Amino acid sequence: MKNNFIDFINIFCKSGNGGFGSSHIKKVRKLNKWIPDGGSGGKGGNIILLGTSHYRTFYHLKFKKHFIAESGYIGSRNNKTGLNGNDLYIKVPLGTIVKDNNKNILAEIILNQEKKILLEGGFGGKGSKILKHKMKFHSLSGIQTVGIWVTLELKILADIGIIGFPNVGKSTLLSIITNAKPKIGNFSFTTKQPNLGVMKYGYGKTYTIADIPGIIQNSHKGKGLGYFFLKHIERNSILLFLITSESQNTKIEYLILLNELNQFNPKLLNKKRLIVISKADLIQTKIIKQKIINDFKTEKIIFISSFTKEGILKLKQKLLQLINS
Ligand SMILES: Nc1nc2c(ncn2[C@@H]2O[C@H](COP(=O)(O)OP(=O)(O)OP(=O)(O)O)[C@@H](O)[C@H]2O)c(=O)[nH]1
Ligand SMILES: [Mg+2]
């Protein structure tokens, strides 16, 4: 499968050099003197990050790795300052973190249309006029900038993350409670990259929900698709654990998921959780349903069916309640 979900990429960035100051001198005939009149150089362009909700990954940066902003222009006679170099904008998805080689965070983009200067352009060199040097035609070169390699890392911004084993109905649920149209299939690992959807609820309120690829026992050891997708739930405020009623032991499935999360980042266990049992339409008898309830004992669970819509309204209400709590 073509993988166009890129959540990690290295790029080279360099802001523009400052323009040269002009060393121009002009003859003032009346005084019969040469006087310096060279203008300063223009400022180099900045490298600016621009948050763009239109982008969901770094795929658009895959084939362009070097970002070099325009240099400032040289100053000229009559004390004219050179033009500034144009800024260079790098469009990034919301949730982008930029790090240098030592893993220091240089910038973070959260909001749509948010702008942050990643690298400032060099200042222009002074021209002969402003320098007033005894060597009349003296001027300075602008600041020469140094380029660096930076890492762009994406951690999706969503209010709710759906986590579960493969084939439990995560994408189907996303498709019925949000506007998303993810791929659905009756086999494991249909979803190979996170899907995002927007749920509308209440008066004009919207919530973003992420459907994360299936997690299995030992995902943290690289089984299945691995567990690196879990970084995308680090910023979710609520984790929705989806466990199918077809499971032999729903509670054990839940504990396995918790363990995988713990292996990835123990802080994930501090988030608000909601346990949801999917495919309730497949539960044949009340005894089986009661057994699932008993398995979870004190923990509250919600039964849903994306097919019959059983429990969907209750689920939405519960999510809203959790978000606001
Ligand atoms: N009976 C029943 N089947 C469902 C329900 N929800 C989803 N399914 C079916 O379960 C299968 C898996 O659904 P998906 O939504 O692709 O499951 P998933 O958890 O996203 O799977 P992966 O992406 O592989 O992790 C599909 O055949 C769905 O039609 C439900 O409420 N009831
Ligand atoms: Mg899926």
Side-chain angles (χ1 to χ4, degrees):
M1 189 190 110
K2 194 172 93 182
N3 186 8
N4 48 20
F5 182 83
I6 297 179
D7 55 8
F8 189 92
I9 200 163
N10 287 314
I11 58 170
F12 179 82
C13 297
K14 183 184 173 297
S15 55
N17 294 327
F20 282 86
S22 162
S23 54
H24 195 266
I25 50 171
K26 74 173 176 189
K27 183 157 189 188
V28 181
R29 290 191 192 280
K30 272 194 232 158
L31 307 173
N32 196 23
K33 258 172 102 177
W34 289 88
I35 61 160
D37 73 336
S40 299
K43 185 174 171 290
N46 301 317
I47 296 281
I48 301 178
L49 299 166
L50 176 65
T52 315
S53 56
H54 172 68
Y55 287 116
R56 293 280 163 84
T57 86
F58 300 128
Y59 185 71
H60 61 293
L61 302 177
K62 189 174 173 186
F63 304 104
K64 180 169 164 57
K65 290 270 166 73
H66 294 82
F67 293 84
I68 298 170
E70 196 182 17
S71 292
Y73 288 80
I74 185 169
S76 55
R77 64 173 67 183
N78 289 327
N79 196 26
K80 262 201 195 146
T81 306
L83 289 174
N84 292 340
N86 284 324
D87 293 334
L88 185 61
Y89 285 85
I90 305 177
K91 292 183 178 172
V92 293
L94 311 186
T96 297
I97 302 164
V98 185
K99 291 184 182 163
D100 66 13
N101 267 343
N102 299 322
K103 304 226 179 318
N104 298 313
I105 295 181
L106 303 178
E108 201 166 350
I109 294 287
I110 305 286
L111 304 170
N112 193 27
Q113 296 304 310
E114 182 179 355
K115 286 180 197 169
K116 277 206 178 136
I117 296 181
L118 180 63
L119 297 174
E120 175 110 34
F123 286 102
K126 286 185 173 141
S128 55
K129 163 101 181 175
I130 199 167
L131 275 173
K132 294 194 177 76
H133 199 271
K134 59 179 183 245
M135 304 272 289
K136 292 190 167 130
F137 45 84
H138 192 66
S139 68
L140 295 177
S141 70
I143 302 286
Q144 307 294 295
T145 58
V146 179
I148 54 167
W149 281 91
V150 294
T151 302
L152 304 187
E153 221 183 302
L154 178 65
K155 287 186 184 176
I156 288 177
L157 295 176
D159 301 299
I160 301 154
I162 308 178
I163 310 147
F165 272 39
N167 214 25
V168 299
K170 298 181 295 300
S171 304
T172 312
L173 175 63
L174 187 81
S175 76
I176 69 155
I177 61 173
T178 73
N179 61 341
K181 305 251 173 301
K183 209 169 143 190
I184 292 164
N186 193 13
F187 48 88
S188 293
F189 303 119
T190 308
T191 303
K192 292 194 169 55
Q193 57 193 51
N195 296 305
L196 268 187
V198 176
M199 175 174 86
K200 288 193 180 142
Y201 200 80
Y203 292 104
K205 291 220 165 144
T206 57
Y207 305 95
T208 318
I209 307 185
D211 158 30
I212 306 297
I215 293 290
I216 53 174
Q217 186 162 25
N218 289 329
S219 282
H220 72 278
K221 290 184 180 159
K223 275 217 167 168
L225 298 177
Y227 72 159
F228 288 104
F229 287 110
L230 288 179
K231 73 176 174 189
H232 294 295
I233 58 170
E234 282 181 339
R235 286 171 161 178
N236 300 167
S237 54
I238 298 167
L239 301 182
L240 189 163
F241 288 82
L242 197 63
I243 297 158
T244 171
S245 62
E246 299 163 300
S247 171
Q248 296 299 315
N249 193 326
T250 44
K251 182 69 188 273
I252 289 199
E253 200 165 307
Y254 173 60
L255 294 177
I256 291 172
L257 290 171
L258 286 184
N259 181 45
E260 293 301 318
L261 262 59
N262 189 38
Q263 297 287 341
F264 182 74
N265 176 359
K267 284 189 188 149
L268 290 175
L269 302 187
N270 299 334
K271 290 183 185 288
K272 295 180 214 170
R273 300 177 210 158
L274 186 60
I275 306 167
V276 180
I277 308 296
S278 65
K279 308 192 187 181
D281 53 293
L282 297 181
I283 300 177
Q284 306 273 336
T285 62
K286 282 190 176 161
I287 302 169
I288 297 177
K289 189 168 181 177
Q290 195 54 49
K291 185 190 170 293
I292 297 173
I293 296 171
N294 292 346
D295 281 349
F296 281 94
K297 285 191 195 114
T298 51
E299 276 152 319
K300 278 248 159 68
I301 55 175
I302 297 182
F303 288 88
I304 61 150
S305 165
S306 296
F307 282 11
T308 65
K309 309 284 186 294
E310 172 192 340
I312 296 295
L313 187 62
K314 194 173 166 198
L315 170 65
K316 283 184 168 187
Q317 286 166 343
K318 188 72 196 165
L319 288 173
L320 196 74
Q321 202 185 324
L322 276 178
I323 284 175
N324 295 323
S325 66

